[in-house]
Structures are given as structure tokens and as C-alpha cells.
Amino acid sequence: MSNISNVKQLRSPEYVRKKIQKIVSEVIRPNADHIDREGQFPAENLTILGKAGWNSLFLPKSLGGLALDYQSFGIVTNEIAQACPSTALIYTMHTGASLIIYKYGNEDQWQRWLLPILDGKIGTIATSERSSGGSYWINQSKATYKDDGYLLNLEKSFATSSGYADFYVLQTRSPQARKLSDLCYFIVDGKQEGIETGKWDALGVRGNHSSSIQLTDIYVEKRDLIGEEGTGKTIIENSNAYIFGIGSAWTGTATGIFNEVVEISKRSSIKYPVIRNQLAIAKIKITGLTAWQNDISRRLDQWVENGGASLPVELRTVLIEFKVYASEIANEIAQIAMDIAGGFGYQVGTLERLYRDARAGIVMGPSNNLARDLIGKEIAGIHTPFWPEDE
Ligand SMILES: Cc1cc2nc3c(=O)[nH]c(=O)nc-3n(C[C@H](O)[C@H](O)[C@H](O)COP(=O)(O)OP(=O)(O)OC[C@H]3O[C@@H](n4cnc5c(N)ncnc54)[C@H](O)[C@@H]3O)c2cc1C
């Protein structure tokens, strides 16, 4: 087989889906329940995904990657989320972090941080701070200079995989920042002393461990600054992968809930027209949402093919709309499913777990209220500066 048809085969949605479904059915699905009940970080899932190359999905072959695209990323995240939303969110934030290093970092950083992903190492993105909540691009914290590098004394209010990530792609303001948009990104070794992890005890996505992290006197060598001081503004404005991933994760969660409740209904309630009607309502919503995921992934792939420079504002807004809609559909379908499944569905089990998991989508940044406010202002032609100093 020629190289070209090899690439085509690897990129074909059917091939990607078949490959990831195998890992989901053999490992991720069987682990999902105890990960939730015990609030356990899904380390085994991540190691297996890493060794099979999925954690390096966007990376080139020279870095052990699969050199795949957004369409594949959407499929993989969606399939994982159907079984375990906790793992899908970890996967999304990891992929987003690795893409930032690949796109804005240098060869030395690729070798030290991206190559080991094949051995099961994972990363995450840490931006959110207590003072700005869901407006996660705004940071009050600031790095300072120390010797030839930087010193970090700051708290991040939430970071997926906190305490478990091997590296944090961490955003803060540059030492000489005068404006909120004077940002930089550092790669911070997650396993060093001086990083205190908060407790993660949440309603849903309990395996995802998204607690706070407190960094005290963390020294970062200059070689772990991504790009230059100030590059952070470009990074946060263009790092779209994880918003698309979050939307795909909630699309998968909605699908996972639907599949579960179809099986439950077949045990008795499907004989009622009202139940079949509810199942049809859910199915139509999922079909529409999945089509939207595919359409957005095609647009993102097209954007990459055209050079992947700054992300058009219109496409960025679409990504936010997708995140809002997908998380709301997941909650709507969870609600419908609870009705269809009756008393047995209400008991502790897969459906009850996914029902709790779905709630996280509403509050994750950009939270749906904040996102709708941004979208609505754009519709109304009201200029909403990303940064206060743009006003
Ligand atoms: C499971 C999970 C995983 C996460 N993972 C990460 C991660 O990996 N990295 C990371 O950096 N962060 C992460 N976060 C943080 C997340 O991105 C948000 O920053 C955080 O959820 C915001 O929570 P808050 O309580 O500070 O919200 P707040 O912003 O204080 O929101 C409280 C309420 O106010 C509303 N609100 C806020 N601003 C506005 C506005 N301008 N207009 C209208 N309504 C508004 C919100 O919608 C919400 O209803 C995670 C959060 C969760 C729950």
C-alpha cells in the first residue's frame, strides 16, 4: 500500500473509530464505574491510550505521534466520553496542552515534554484563577524573575488532572506585565515539590481530578518558557483544540446516555408510544449534534491546511456555541433518560453516573452563562473586548 493510501486509511473516520472503540470496550468502559465511585484518577486508561499513540494524536511521527487531524480528535474524544466522561476531559486537556507546546514551543521542549507522552506521561492546561472565575483568560497572578529563569508563587483555582499531570502548561502574567494581556505560558514539571494539590470531591466527573493547585517558590528554567514573554496572548486567543474537545466530550456523553437508556427501555418501557417518542426526540438531538461536531472538525482541519494562523473570530465563536449546545443537550438527554428509565434508572448505576457527569459541562469555562453573554453581545453588535485594555 502506498504512503498516501496509508495516511488515508489511518485518517478515515471508520478506522479511527474502530481502533479507539477497541480500547474503550476492553479498558475504559470496564474501569468507568469504579473510577467514579472511588474518585480514582484513570491512570490505567491514560497509560494505554498513551502507549497506543492516541495521546500524541496531533503530533508528527518524529515525535511518536499519529499526525492526525481534528476530525479524528473529535471521534476519539467522543468515543471515550460515551463510556467515561472523566477520561475524555483529561484526554482533551492533555491534547490541548501538548498542542500548545507543539505549536508555540521549540525542538528542545518537544524532545523533553512531548516525546515521553508515548511512555504514558500526560499534561494539562492551568489557566483559571479564583479572581476571574469562568473568564479563564484573565489572570491576576504574575511570574517574577529569578537568576536566569522565573519564580512562580500563585494559585490556579481548577486544573484537570491536578496532582497527576506530569506537566502543566500554565498561564500567568509576564514579570514585566503592564496589561492583563501581557501573558506567558510555562511548562511546569507537575511532579516537583512545592505544588500543593487541593481535594477533588465533586458531583460528577469524579475521576477527572480538577482541583486547585498552589505553587510555592516554583523555579522555572528559561528554556521552559513557551515562545517569548507576551506570547501568551496569542496562545490563549488561538488555542481552540480543547474547546472543540470539550464539545466533543459532551456530544459523546449525550450519546453514551442515549445508548444506555435504549437498552434499559428495551427491558419494558419501549412498548409505550410516549417512551418511543422521547427516544426519538433524544435521537434527533444527537444526530444534529454529531453532524455539527463533524462540520466544525472539517472547518478546523481546513483552517490548519490553510496555515493555522490566527483563528477567525467567527470560528472561535462557533466553538463556544458548540460547547454550550453540546453540554446542554447532554443534560437534556440525561433528563429524558431518567424519565424513560423509571425507578431502576434512578438507582446507582451507569445512567445515574452519566447524569451527574453531564452537569460539569454547564460550569466548565467558558461557563454557559458567560458564553451566551459573549455570543449575544456579538449578535447585538456590542463590542466585547477580550481584554479590558482593548476598550
Ligand atoms: C470539571 C472541571 C474541570 C476544569 N478543568 C480546568 C482545567 O483543566 N484548567 C483550567 O484552567 N480550568 C479548569 N476548570 C475551570 C473552569 O474552566 C472555570 O474557570 C470554572 O469552572 C469557573 O468556575 P467559578 O466557580 O470560578 O465560576 P464563576 O465564573 O464564578 O461562575 C459562577 C456563575 O456566574 C456565571 N458567570 C460568570 N461570569 C459571567 C459573566 N461574565 N456573565 C454572566 N454570567 C457569568 C457562571 O456562568 C456561573 O453561573 C475546570 C472546571 C471544572 C468544573
Side-chain angles (χ1 to χ4, degrees), residues 1-6 9:
M1 195 182 285
S2 74
N3 273 349
I4 291 177
S5 50
N6 255 334
Q9 188 206 23

Coordinates of all heavy atoms in Angstrom, one line a residue, residues 1-6 9:
M1 N 0.8 -1.2 0.0 CA 0.0 0.0 0.0 C 0.9 1.3 0.0 O 1.9 1.3 0.7 CB -0.9 0.0 1.3 CG -2.0 1.0 1.2 SD -3.0 0.9 2.7 CE -3.9 -0.6 2.6
S2 N 0.5 2.2 -0.8 CA 1.3 3.4 -0.9 C 1.2 4.2 0.4 O 0.3 4.0 1.2 CB 0.9 4.3 -2.1 OG -0.3 4.9 -1.7
N3 N 2.2 5.2 0.6 CA 2.1 6.0 1.8 C 0.8 6.8 1.9 O 0.2 7.0 2.9 CB 3.3 7.0 1.8 CG 4.5 6.4 2.4 OD1 4.3 5.3 3.0 ND2 5.6 7.0 2.3
I4 N 0.4 7.3 0.6 CA -0.8 8.2 0.6 C -2.0 7.4 1.1 O -2.8 7.8 1.9 CB -1.0 8.8 -0.8 CG1 0.1 9.8 -1.0 CG2 -2.4 9.4 -0.9 CD1 0.1 10.4 -2.4
S5 N -2.2 6.1 0.5 CA -3.4 5.4 1.0 C -3.2 5.0 2.4 O -4.3 4.8 3.1 CB -3.6 4.2 0.0 OG -2.5 3.5 -0.1
N6 N -2.0 4.8 2.9 CA -1.8 4.5 4.4 C -2.4 5.6 5.2 O -3.1 5.4 6.2 CB -0.3 4.4 4.7 CG 0.1 2.9 4.9 OD1 -0.8 2.2 5.2 ND2 1.3 2.6 4.6
Q9 N -6.1 5.8 5.1 CA -6.7 4.7 5.9 C -6.7 5.1 7.3 O -7.7 5.1 8.0 CB -6.0 3.4 5.7 CG -6.8 2.3 6.4 CD -5.9 1.1 6.7 OE1 -4.7 1.2 6.9 NE2 -6.5 -0.1 6.9

